[in-house]
Amino acid sequence: MKNYLVIGASSGIGRELASLLNHQGHKVYATYRNTPVHDKIAGVEYHFLDVTEETLNPDFLPEKLDGLAYCPGTINLKPFLRVKPEDFIADFNLQVLGAVKVIQAVLLGLKKAESASVVMFSTVAVRMGFNFHSLVSTSKGAVEGLARSLAAEFAPKIRVNCIAPSITDTPLASALLNSDAKREANAQRHPMKRVGSVSDIAQMAAFLLSDKSGWITGQVYGVDGGISSLKVN
Ligand SMILES: NC(=O)c1ccc[n+]([C@@H]2O[C@H](COP(=O)([O-])OP(=O)(O)OC[C@H]3O[C@@H](n4cnc5c(N)ncnc54)[C@H](OP(=O)(O)O)[C@@H]3O)[C@@H](O)[C@H]2O)c1
């Protein structure tokens, strides 16, 4: 049994990941911010944590931590001229500095594990250019850089990897999937002819957190229905 911390486990991919790890028999420490966790997963331990606060105090964690998944993110799509400099700063604070603060706060615990693993989330919109994605692709590009540099700095004790999903059916993507027409159009853009499910992404995250991926570090994995590498039509 391992100890895992899932930041942002009240919704979407983080919730599914917490459920999966719990089901595998691990101890899961899960955090939420706004979303009230009505349907708590039995066995998972929940704590409030807002990563935009200046200092984070994860004193609820055990001494040794085997893995961390950092799930908070945004999809804030706007024409470039409508994006204000402060929007970039707010996005960077959540997606990049939030991860930095969490990793710094739990690093001693990760170092106490025999082999630990950190998973962060990027987006397919870093590798591929999409209209109106300047905000999210800028922050997520930094997340990928952070993951690679920490993978180098922490090897061989702690592995660090990124998952870069395409559109996945979660509350975060609801505005892009809130009609049959939008859902179908998004499905058809992908070689696999559907949008992602929380399970598609959480299964990859659980694998990267586990010892089964023990020789994988510093990587960015597209879990994206083939959209970033295939042209099938
Ligand atoms: N869904 C997609 O289509 C998609 C595509 C590409 C990449 N991604 C990335 O995948 C990751 C997970 O996305 P998701 O779709 O599962 O998102 P989600 O459904 O919005 O869940 C995000 C989680 O992060 C928490 N969170 C947000 N702001 C926070 C803060 N300031 N402090 C602490 N926790 C905070 C949320 O808590 P509360 O709800 O309690 O606020 C929630 O539990 C994100 O990094 C996202 O950018 C998603």
Side-chain angles (χ1 to χ4, degrees), residues 18 44-45 56 83-84 87 142-143 153 176 191 193 195 208 217 233:
V44 169
E45 193 176 312
L56 305 182
V83 190
K84 300 188 183 112
D87 295 333
V143 168
E153 191 167 332
L176 304 170
K193 300 302 176 198
V195 299
L208 290 173
T217 192
N233 295 327

Side-chain angles (χ1 to χ4, degrees), residues 6 10 18 24 52 88 125 129 142 156 170 190 200 203:
V6 181
S10 46
Q24 291 173 351
T52 60
F88 279 99
T170 72
H190 294 80
D200 290 325
Q203 290 283 355

Side-chain angles (χ1 to χ4, degrees), residues 4-227:
Y4 288 120
L5 171 63
V6 181
I7 302 291
S10 46
S11 170
I13 295 162
R15 186 184 194 285
E16 179 67 14
L17 176 61
S19 169
L20 193 56
L21 296 170
N22 180 59
H23 190 72
Q24 291 173 351
H26 302 298
K27 175 74 191 174
V28 181
Y29 300 84
T31 75
Y32 63 94
R33 182 201 44 167
N34 285 335
T35 307
V37 191
H38 295 308
D39 49 347
K40 289 190 175 158
I41 301 158
V44 169
E45 193 176 312
Y46 290 90
H47 295 271
F48 170 84
L49 189 92
D50 183 346
V51 299
T52 60
E53 283 178 4
E54 204 158 312
T55 48
L56 305 182
N57 185 13
D59 57 4
F60 52 84
L61 288 174
E63 217 171 292
K64 173 188 80 109
L65 191 61
D66 299 281
L68 155 72
Y70 183 85
C71 304
T74 57
I75 310 179
N76 201 350
L77 308 185
K78 286 184 191 174
F80 181 60
L81 272 181
R82 295 226 325 259
V83 190
K84 300 188 183 112
E86 51 268 37
D87 295 333
F88 279 99
I89 291 168
D91 209 70
F92 193 87
N93 268 332
L94 178 73
Q95 312 230 45
V96 187
L97 289 186
V100 166
K101 283 186 281 185
V102 169
I103 295 167
Q104 286 180 339
V106 304
L107 192 53
L108 271 181
L110 291 169
K111 282 183 173 166
K112 287 196 175 125
E114 204 175 308
S115 64
S117 172
V118 175
V119 173
M120 291 187 251
F121 290 90
S122 179
T123 166
V124 66
V126 171
R127 183 167 166 199
M128 298 185 73
F130 292 125
N131 280 344
F132 309 141
H133 279 66
S134 59
L135 202 47
V136 62
S137 63
T138 299
S139 296
K140 293 298 199 185
V143 168
E144 291 190 9
L146 177 66
R148 283 201 194 90
S149 53
L150 292 186
E153 191 167 332
F154 298 164
K157 197 93 173 104
I158 305 170
R159 298 180 297 108
V160 186
N161 292 288
C162 254
I163 297 172
S166 185
I167 188 164
T168 302
D169 192 0
T170 72
L172 185 66
S174 59
L176 304 170
L177 296 173
N178 60 7
S179 71
D180 289 347
K182 285 187 192 175
R183 184 175 287 272
E184 185 55 20
N186 273 302
Q188 290 306 322
R189 289 193 299 118
H190 294 80
M192 297 307 290
K193 300 302 176 198
R194 65 175 178 84
V195 299
S197 68
V198 286
S199 172
D200 290 325
I201 314 299
Q203 290 283 355
M204 184 60 160
F207 169 70
L208 290 173
L209 286 173
S210 78
D211 291 337
K212 291 178 192 157
S213 58
W215 211 42
I216 299 177
T217 192
Q219 303 299 317
V220 178
Y221 284 100
V223 183
D224 59 15
I227 197 172

